[in-house]
């Protein structure tokens, strides 16, 4: 059975999410703003983030599947659930759990760009720069982490651990 070592506790996450919400509220006052939560991993982060934003916003969801072996992304991404509303002329923030290789976000940004938003930004809870394969702009970032596989606060391993209120590292029990 694996054990889970806490990497970022619930209090640190809450504190950081509040400041991300404040930064977004400040930057987008007066804008027609849409937050796009990328499913499934960002659903917990997005739920907390929207409540830390003090300006009017719309929320939409995108689900995508990335093809690859095991936990490795191939960069071939398929949108399995698309937005319900057009984003043309709107200010858009894509909310993602983690930018790992960057391939998923890179694909999503080029796809969303074709829909002519007024602006397109990224808000990611976590970034693993050690594994970066393509450069992705991250306008709002929660935490930079080492090259470790993390779970909790929406992130899964084989669909488990999404409900943990903190972010932890899966470790084999000795
Ligand atoms: P990328 O295309 O390599 O940037 O992968 C992004 C997606 O891979 C994320 O949205 C996660 O769903 C998944 N992922 C990458 N690293 C981790 C991790 O450490 N834990 C859980 N999921 C991860």
């Amino acid at each position: 059975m694996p054990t889970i070592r806490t990497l970022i506790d619930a209090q640190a996450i809450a504190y950081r999410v509040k400041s991300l919400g404040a930064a977004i509220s400040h930057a987008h006052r007066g804008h027609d703003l849409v937050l796009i939560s990328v499913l499934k991993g960002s659903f917990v982060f997005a739920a907390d983030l929207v409540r830390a934003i003090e300006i009017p916003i719309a929320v939409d969801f995108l689900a995508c599947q990335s093809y690859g072996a095991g936990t490795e992304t191939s960069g071939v991404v398929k949108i399995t659930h698309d937005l319900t509303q057009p984003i043309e002329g709107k200010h858009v923030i894509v909310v993602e759990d983690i930018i790992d290789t960057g391939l998923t976000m890179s694909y999503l940004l080029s796809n969303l760009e074709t829909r002519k938003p007024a602006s397109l930004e990224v808000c990611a809870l976590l970034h693993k720069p050690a594994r970066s394969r393509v450069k992705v702009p991250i306008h709002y970032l929660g935490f930079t982490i080492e090259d470790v596989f993390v779970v909790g606060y929406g992130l899964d391993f084989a669909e488990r651990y999404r409900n943990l209120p903190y972010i932890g590292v899966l470790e084999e029990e000795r």
Side-chain angles (χ1 to χ4, degrees), residues 73 96-98 100-104 128 148-150 155-156:
T73 316
E96 181 60 299
D97 53 355
I98 184 164
D100 186 23
T101 62
L103 292 167
T104 304
K128 265 190 225 175
V148 284
F149 194 84
V150 288
L155 291 120
D156 76 309

Side-chain angles (χ1 to χ4, degrees), residues 6-54:
T6 304
L7 187 66
I8 307 168
D9 67 25
Q11 201 184 354
I13 297 171
Y15 188 78
R16 195 75 195 104
V17 170
K18 278 221 175 337
S19 78
L20 291 174
I24 290 170
S25 305
H26 179 74
H28 285 283
R29 206 165 291 279
H31 286 171
D32 197 353
L33 182 63
V34 184
L35 254 75
I36 298 176
S37 164
V38 182
L39 299 173
K40 298 177 191 174
S42 82
F43 82 106
V44 177
F45 175 42
D48 283 343
L49 182 66
V50 294
R51 286 176 288 175
I53 296 175
E54 296 157 352

Side-chain angles (χ1 to χ4, degrees), residues 145-173:
I145 61 167
E146 302 288 304
D147 184 7
V148 284
F149 194 84
V150 288
V151 294
Y153 199 68
L155 291 120
D156 76 309
F157 175 69
E159 292 302 325
R160 292 192 59 197
Y161 308 109
R162 292 193 198 275
N163 56 318
L164 294 178
Y166 59 90
I167 293 164
V169 181
L170 272 186
E171 286 177 341
E172 286 305 316
E173 216 159 63

Side-chain angles (χ1 to χ4, degrees), residues 77-137:
V77 180
K78 182 176 137 193
I79 292 180
T80 54
H81 171 82
D82 208 343
L83 301 177
T84 58
Q85 300 290 323
I87 52 167
E88 184 166 354
K90 305 202 168 174
H91 292 268
V92 171
I93 299 178
V94 186
V95 180
E96 181 60 299
D97 53 355
I98 184 164
I99 311 281
D100 186 23
T101 62
L103 292 167
T104 304
M105 185 54 75
S106 175
Y107 170 83
L108 287 180
L109 290 178
S110 50
N111 180 297
L112 294 171
E113 198 63 72
T114 64
R115 308 184 197 195
K116 302 186 169 59
S119 68
L120 185 57
E121 294 181 325
V122 173
C123 178
L125 178 66
L126 304 171
H127 183 215
K128 265 190 225 175
R131 287 183 34 98
S132 174
R133 282 177 53 192
V134 284
K135 198 157 169 49
V136 167

